[in-house]
Amino acid sequence: MPITELRYIFSDYNLADLHVPPWKQYSIHIHESSLRTVDLVEQKMIHLLGGGTYTRNQVWVDLQGVYGFADGVGSINALGHDFLAFAATAPNSFSKELWIYREHSRATSDTLKSTFVRRNNNLHIFLKHISGQYSRKLFDGSYESDKALAFAEHLIPFPKSITRLFHLSWAQIVSLTNRSDTNIDSLISRLHPTHDNLLISLLTRIKTYNREESRRRIAITSIMLIPIIERINARGYSPSNVVYPFNKFFNVQEVNIQLQSLGYTIY
Protein backbone atom coordinates (compact mmCIF):
# COMPACT_ATOMS: atom_id res chain seq x y z
CA MET A 1 0.00 0.00 0.00
CA PRO A 2 1.30 3.51 -0.77
CA ILE A 3 1.05 4.61 2.88
CA THR A 4 3.34 1.77 3.93
CA GLU A 5 5.84 2.76 1.25
CA LEU A 6 5.56 6.42 2.21
CA ARG A 7 6.31 5.64 5.85
CA TYR A 8 9.18 3.39 4.80
CA ILE A 9 11.01 6.09 2.88
CA PHE A 10 10.89 8.34 5.97
CA SER A 11 11.87 5.58 8.40
CA ASP A 12 15.27 7.17 9.07
CA TYR A 13 13.60 10.34 10.39
CA ASN A 14 11.38 11.32 13.27
CA LEU A 15 8.35 12.73 11.48
CA ALA A 16 7.40 14.83 14.51
CA ASP A 17 10.62 16.85 14.09
CA LEU A 18 10.34 17.44 10.35
CA HIS A 19 8.74 20.19 8.31
CA VAL A 20 8.56 20.94 4.61
CA PRO A 21 10.86 23.93 3.95
CA PRO A 22 9.94 26.84 1.68
CA TRP A 23 9.93 25.77 -1.96
CA LYS A 24 12.68 28.20 -2.97
CA GLN A 25 15.14 26.54 -0.59
CA TYR A 26 15.41 23.30 -2.50
CA SER A 27 14.10 23.73 -6.03
CA ILE A 28 16.32 22.17 -8.68
CA HIS A 29 14.38 23.49 -11.65
CA ILE A 30 13.14 26.81 -12.92
CA HIS A 31 9.42 26.30 -13.15
CA GLU A 32 8.18 26.95 -9.63
CA SER A 33 5.71 29.17 -11.44
CA SER A 34 2.40 29.22 -13.27
CA LEU A 35 4.30 29.18 -16.58
CA ARG A 36 4.61 25.44 -16.86
CA THR A 37 6.45 24.99 -20.15
CA VAL A 38 9.22 26.90 -21.83
CA ASP A 39 7.07 27.23 -24.96
CA LEU A 40 4.34 28.85 -22.87
CA VAL A 41 6.89 31.33 -21.49
CA GLU A 42 7.77 32.23 -25.06
CA GLN A 43 4.11 32.59 -26.08
CA LYS A 44 3.30 34.78 -23.08
CA MET A 45 6.12 37.20 -23.86
CA ILE A 46 5.23 37.40 -27.55
CA HIS A 47 1.66 38.17 -26.51
CA LEU A 48 2.81 40.89 -24.12
CA LEU A 49 5.17 42.50 -26.61
CA GLY A 50 2.36 42.50 -29.17
CA GLY A 51 0.29 44.73 -26.90
CA GLY A 52 -1.51 42.03 -24.99
CA THR A 53 -2.17 42.23 -21.27
CA TYR A 54 -2.69 39.84 -18.39
CA THR A 55 -4.89 40.50 -15.42
CA ARG A 56 -2.92 38.01 -13.32
CA ASN A 57 0.17 39.67 -11.88
CA GLN A 58 1.60 36.19 -11.34
CA VAL A 59 2.71 36.13 -14.97
CA TRP A 60 4.95 39.13 -14.34
CA VAL A 61 6.13 37.71 -11.01
CA ASP A 62 7.23 34.56 -12.82
CA LEU A 63 8.85 36.37 -15.74
CA GLN A 64 10.82 38.54 -13.34
CA GLY A 65 11.60 36.33 -10.36
CA VAL A 66 11.85 32.87 -11.92
CA TYR A 67 13.17 33.51 -15.41
CA GLY A 68 14.82 36.93 -15.11
CA PHE A 69 13.06 38.09 -18.27
CA ALA A 70 11.40 41.21 -16.78
CA ASP A 71 12.44 44.07 -14.51
CA GLY A 72 8.89 44.68 -13.34
CA VAL A 73 5.31 44.68 -14.55
CA GLY A 74 5.15 45.73 -18.20
CA SER A 75 8.87 45.53 -18.90
CA ILE A 76 10.49 42.68 -20.82
CA ASN A 77 14.23 43.19 -20.34
CA ALA A 78 17.28 42.49 -22.52
CA LEU A 79 17.59 38.88 -21.35
CA GLY A 80 13.94 38.31 -22.28
CA HIS A 81 14.48 39.74 -25.74
CA ASP A 82 17.62 37.64 -26.17
CA PHE A 83 15.63 34.54 -25.25
CA LEU A 84 12.95 35.33 -27.82
CA ALA A 85 15.58 35.88 -30.50
CA PHE A 86 17.12 32.49 -29.73
CA ALA A 87 13.76 30.73 -29.40
CA ALA A 88 12.68 31.91 -32.86
CA THR A 89 15.27 29.64 -34.48
CA ALA A 90 15.83 27.06 -31.71
CA PRO A 91 15.87 23.43 -32.90
CA ASN A 92 13.52 22.21 -30.13
CA SER A 93 12.00 23.01 -26.73
CA PHE A 94 14.87 21.27 -24.98
CA SER A 95 17.33 23.76 -26.46
CA LYS A 96 15.20 26.68 -25.22
CA GLU A 97 15.15 25.23 -21.74
CA LEU A 98 18.90 24.69 -21.73
CA TRP A 99 19.45 28.25 -22.97
CA ILE A 100 17.71 29.59 -19.87
CA TYR A 101 19.77 27.46 -17.49
CA ARG A 102 22.97 28.40 -19.26
CA GLU A 103 22.21 32.11 -19.04
CA HIS A 104 21.36 31.76 -15.35
CA SER A 105 24.66 29.97 -14.75
CA ARG A 106 26.63 32.97 -16.01
CA ALA A 107 24.25 35.75 -15.02
CA THR A 108 25.50 39.03 -13.57
CA SER A 109 22.32 39.23 -11.50
CA ASP A 110 23.08 38.03 -7.97
CA THR A 111 19.54 36.65 -7.70
CA LEU A 112 19.72 34.51 -10.83
CA LYS A 113 23.28 33.41 -10.13
CA SER A 114 22.58 32.39 -6.52
CA THR A 115 19.46 30.54 -7.61
CA PHE A 116 21.47 28.57 -10.14
CA VAL A 117 24.21 27.79 -7.61
CA ARG A 118 21.64 26.55 -5.09
CA ARG A 119 19.94 24.47 -7.76
CA ASN A 120 23.23 22.95 -8.84
CA ASN A 121 24.24 22.09 -5.26
CA ASN A 122 20.87 20.50 -4.54
CA LEU A 123 21.01 18.58 -7.79
CA HIS A 124 24.29 16.97 -6.74
CA ILE A 125 22.75 15.98 -3.40
CA PHE A 126 19.78 14.55 -5.24
CA LEU A 127 21.74 12.47 -7.73
CA LYS A 128 24.20 11.24 -5.11
CA HIS A 129 21.43 9.48 -3.18
CA ILE A 130 19.82 7.67 -6.11
CA SER A 131 20.83 4.04 -5.96
CA GLY A 132 22.65 2.53 -8.91
CA GLN A 133 19.95 0.03 -9.85
CA TYR A 134 17.70 2.80 -11.20
CA SER A 135 20.29 5.34 -12.31
CA ARG A 136 19.85 4.42 -15.96
CA LYS A 137 16.12 3.76 -15.91
CA LEU A 138 15.25 7.18 -14.46
CA PHE A 139 16.37 8.93 -17.64
CA ASP A 140 14.80 6.63 -20.22
CA GLY A 141 12.12 9.24 -20.99
CA SER A 142 9.19 7.08 -19.92
CA TYR A 143 6.21 8.65 -18.20
CA GLU A 144 6.73 6.49 -15.10
CA SER A 145 10.38 7.50 -14.81
CA ASP A 146 9.57 11.18 -15.20
CA LYS A 147 6.91 10.90 -12.48
CA ALA A 148 9.40 9.15 -10.18
CA LEU A 149 11.93 11.94 -10.69
CA ALA A 150 9.28 14.58 -10.07
CA PHE A 151 8.26 12.90 -6.81
CA ALA A 152 11.81 12.26 -5.63
CA GLU A 153 12.79 15.89 -6.20
CA HIS A 154 10.64 16.87 -3.23
CA LEU A 155 12.75 14.67 -0.96
CA ILE A 156 15.90 16.78 -1.38
CA PRO A 157 15.62 18.17 2.19
CA PHE A 158 15.47 14.55 3.39
CA PRO A 159 18.27 12.82 1.43
CA LYS A 160 18.03 9.53 3.32
CA SER A 161 14.50 9.29 1.98
CA ILE A 162 15.78 9.52 -1.59
CA THR A 163 17.96 6.50 -0.88
CA ARG A 164 15.03 4.66 0.72
CA LEU A 165 12.70 5.46 -2.19
CA PHE A 166 15.09 3.96 -4.71
CA HIS A 167 15.57 0.84 -2.61
CA LEU A 168 11.94 -0.05 -3.28
CA SER A 169 11.02 -2.26 -6.21
CA TRP A 170 10.14 -0.46 -9.43
CA ALA A 171 6.52 -1.59 -9.08
CA GLN A 172 6.38 -0.04 -5.59
CA ILE A 173 7.96 3.19 -6.80
CA VAL A 174 5.48 3.50 -9.66
CA SER A 175 2.57 2.74 -7.30
CA LEU A 176 3.65 5.58 -5.03
CA THR A 177 4.83 8.20 -7.54
CA ASN A 178 2.60 7.68 -10.59
CA ARG A 179 -0.46 9.24 -8.98
CA SER A 180 -3.03 11.74 -10.24
CA ASP A 181 -4.25 14.68 -8.15
CA THR A 182 -7.31 12.64 -7.19
CA ASN A 183 -5.09 9.73 -6.11
CA ILE A 184 -2.95 12.07 -4.00
CA ASP A 185 -6.05 13.55 -2.38
CA SER A 186 -7.22 10.03 -1.57
CA LEU A 187 -3.85 9.19 0.00
CA ILE A 188 -3.89 12.40 2.06
CA SER A 189 -7.38 11.60 3.35
CA ARG A 190 -6.07 8.35 4.82
CA LEU A 191 -3.31 10.07 6.82
CA HIS A 192 -3.66 11.37 10.38
CA PRO A 193 -3.99 15.19 10.36
CA THR A 194 -1.67 15.59 13.37
CA HIS A 195 0.75 12.66 13.39
CA ASP A 196 1.21 12.78 9.61
CA ASN A 197 1.39 16.55 9.19
CA LEU A 198 4.77 16.34 7.43
CA LEU A 199 3.55 13.71 4.98
CA ILE A 200 0.38 15.67 4.28
CA SER A 201 2.37 18.85 3.65
CA LEU A 202 4.76 17.00 1.37
CA LEU A 203 2.01 15.36 -0.67
CA THR A 204 0.21 18.70 -0.98
CA ARG A 205 3.42 20.25 -2.29
CA ILE A 206 3.90 17.40 -4.75
CA LYS A 207 0.34 17.76 -5.97
CA THR A 208 0.79 21.51 -6.47
CA TYR A 209 4.12 21.40 -8.29
CA ASN A 210 4.14 18.13 -10.21
CA ARG A 211 3.30 19.52 -13.61
CA GLU A 212 5.22 18.93 -16.84
CA GLU A 213 7.18 16.16 -15.16
CA SER A 214 9.57 15.75 -18.09
CA ARG A 215 11.15 19.09 -17.21
CA ARG A 216 12.89 17.48 -14.24
CA ARG A 217 14.73 15.20 -16.66
CA ILE A 218 15.39 18.12 -18.99
CA ALA A 219 16.66 20.24 -16.08
CA ILE A 220 19.16 17.62 -14.95
CA THR A 221 20.32 16.92 -18.49
CA SER A 222 20.70 20.64 -19.17
CA ILE A 223 22.84 21.29 -16.12
CA MET A 224 25.03 18.34 -17.09
CA LEU A 225 25.45 19.74 -20.61
CA ILE A 226 26.28 23.36 -19.71
CA PRO A 227 30.00 22.87 -18.95
CA ILE A 228 30.32 20.46 -21.88
CA ILE A 229 28.85 23.03 -24.27
CA GLU A 230 31.11 25.75 -22.86
CA ARG A 231 34.09 23.47 -23.49
CA ILE A 232 32.97 22.70 -27.03
CA ASN A 233 32.49 26.40 -27.79
CA ALA A 234 35.92 27.21 -26.40
CA ARG A 235 37.88 24.27 -27.81
CA GLY A 236 35.76 22.93 -30.64
CA TYR A 237 35.48 19.29 -29.62
CA SER A 238 33.04 16.99 -27.90
CA PRO A 239 33.53 15.39 -24.45
CA SER A 240 35.60 12.26 -23.96
CA ASN A 241 33.96 11.46 -20.63
CA VAL A 242 31.02 12.37 -18.43
CA VAL A 243 31.89 13.62 -14.96
CA TYR A 244 30.45 12.49 -11.62
CA PRO A 245 27.62 12.34 -10.61
CA PHE A 246 26.21 12.43 -14.13
CA ASN A 247 28.26 9.41 -15.21
CA LYS A 248 25.92 7.27 -13.09
CA PHE A 249 23.08 8.20 -15.42
CA PHE A 250 24.54 8.95 -18.87
CA ASN A 251 27.37 7.64 -21.02
CA VAL A 252 29.34 9.53 -23.68
CA GLN A 253 27.24 8.16 -26.55
CA GLU A 254 24.03 9.40 -24.93
CA VAL A 255 25.55 12.81 -24.27
CA ASN A 256 26.58 13.04 -27.92
CA ILE A 257 23.02 12.23 -28.99
CA GLN A 258 21.75 15.03 -26.74
CA LEU A 259 24.29 17.43 -28.24
CA GLN A 260 23.28 16.47 -31.78
CA SER A 261 19.64 17.16 -30.92
CA LEU A 262 20.74 20.66 -29.95
CA GLY A 263 22.42 21.25 -33.29
CA TYR A 264 26.03 20.44 -32.38
CA THR A 265 28.09 18.45 -34.88
CA ILE A 266 29.88 15.55 -33.23
CA TYR A 267 33.08 14.31 -34.88
Side-chain angles (χ1 to χ4, degrees):
M1 297 293 291
I3 288 180
T4 301
E5 294 154 3
L6 193 58
R7 293 193 188 286
Y8 167 77
I9 67 176
F10 279 96
S11 57
D12 288 319
Y13 296 97
N14 180 357
L15 291 179
D17 295 332
L18 296 179
H19 68 279
V20 177
W23 178 248
K24 64 181 180 181
Q25 290 185 10
Y26 67 100
S27 173
I28 66 165
H29 54 80
I30 62 174
H31 69 292
E32 55 271 29
S33 79
S34 61
L35 302 177
R36 299 297 183 184
T37 70
V38 68
D39 291 324
L40 184 57
V41 174
E42 180 185 6
Q43 293 166 18
K44 294 281 188 184
M45 288 203 293
I46 291 173
H47 174 76
L48 290 163
L49 290 171
T53 59
Y54 289 110
T55 56
R56 295 181 66 242
N57 286 335
Q58 186 63 40
V59 170
W60 287 106
V61 170
D62 295 344
L63 289 177
Q64 180 177 1
V66 177
Y67 298 96
F69 289 163
D71 297 325
V73 174
S75 174
I76 301 295
N77 61 21
L79 183 61
H81 283 282
D82 287 346
F83 169 72
L84 289 175
F86 171 81
T89 58
N92 49 45
S93 297
F94 176 28
S95 64
K96 299 175 192 177
E97 190 96 33
L98 187 145
W99 187 96
I100 296 174
Y101 286 105
R102 189 178 173 206
E103 291 304 310
H104 285 191
S105 73
R106 55 187 182 179
T108 56
S109 162
D110 289 341
T111 300
L112 290 179
K113 185 70 174 183
S114 63
T115 298
F116 181 83
V117 169
R118 183 182 68 246
R119 179 182 297 122
N120 194 42
N121 290 340
N122 286 336
L123 175 57
H124 278 72
I125 292 172
F126 180 55
L127 297 181
K128 175 183 176 181
H129 286 87
I130 297 176
S131 63
Q133 66 173 322
Y134 296 127
S135 59
R136 303 283 297 166
K137 187 173 184 60
L138 283 170
F139 290 88
D140 66 7
S142 69
Y143 180 75
E144 291 78 14
S145 295
D146 283 344
K147 290 284 283 187
L149 277 175
F151 183 98
E153 174 190 48
H154 295 271
L155 302 177
I156 289 173
F158 320 108
K160 293 178 182 178
S161 291
I162 301 173
T163 301
R164 289 273 185 184
L165 173 65
F166 291 110
H167 278 167
L168 295 171
S169 71
W170 186 247
Q172 289 173 309
I173 292 172
V174 170
S175 175
L176 180 61
T177 62
N178 187 12
R179 307 181 71 78
S180 66
D181 288 356
T182 301
N183 294 147
I184 292 177
D185 285 336
S186 176
L187 185 55
I188 289 173
S189 71
R190 294 160 54 201
L191 294 169
H192 192 283
T194 301
H195 298 156
D196 294 318
N197 182 63
L198 179 280
L199 299 181
I200 291 171
S201 297
L202 181 71
L203 290 171
T204 302
R205 175 70 61 77
I206 290 171
K207 176 185 172 183
T208 303
Y209 284 102
N210 278 20
R211 301 293 187 275
E212 300 300 329
E213 287 84 0
S214 64
R215 293 189 70 186
R216 274 72 168 182
R217 172 169 41 86
I218 291 172
I220 295 169
T221 307
S222 295
I223 291 175
M224 172 189 68
L225 289 176
I226 288 171
I228 294 173
I229 288 173
E230 298 292 358
R231 191 160 61 247
I232 290 174
N233 288 341
R235 303 176 185 177
Y237 57 81
S238 61
S240 58
N241 61 1
V242 183
V243 301
Y244 179 85
F246 301 106
N247 60 349
K248 290 171 55 180
F249 306 91
F250 304 92
N251 59 38
V252 172
Q253 290 73 28
E254 289 163 334
V255 170
N256 284 341
I257 290 172
Q258 296 284 3
L259 291 169
Q260 288 173 320
S261 79
L262 297 169
Y264 288 88
T265 301
I266 305 300
Y267 299 100

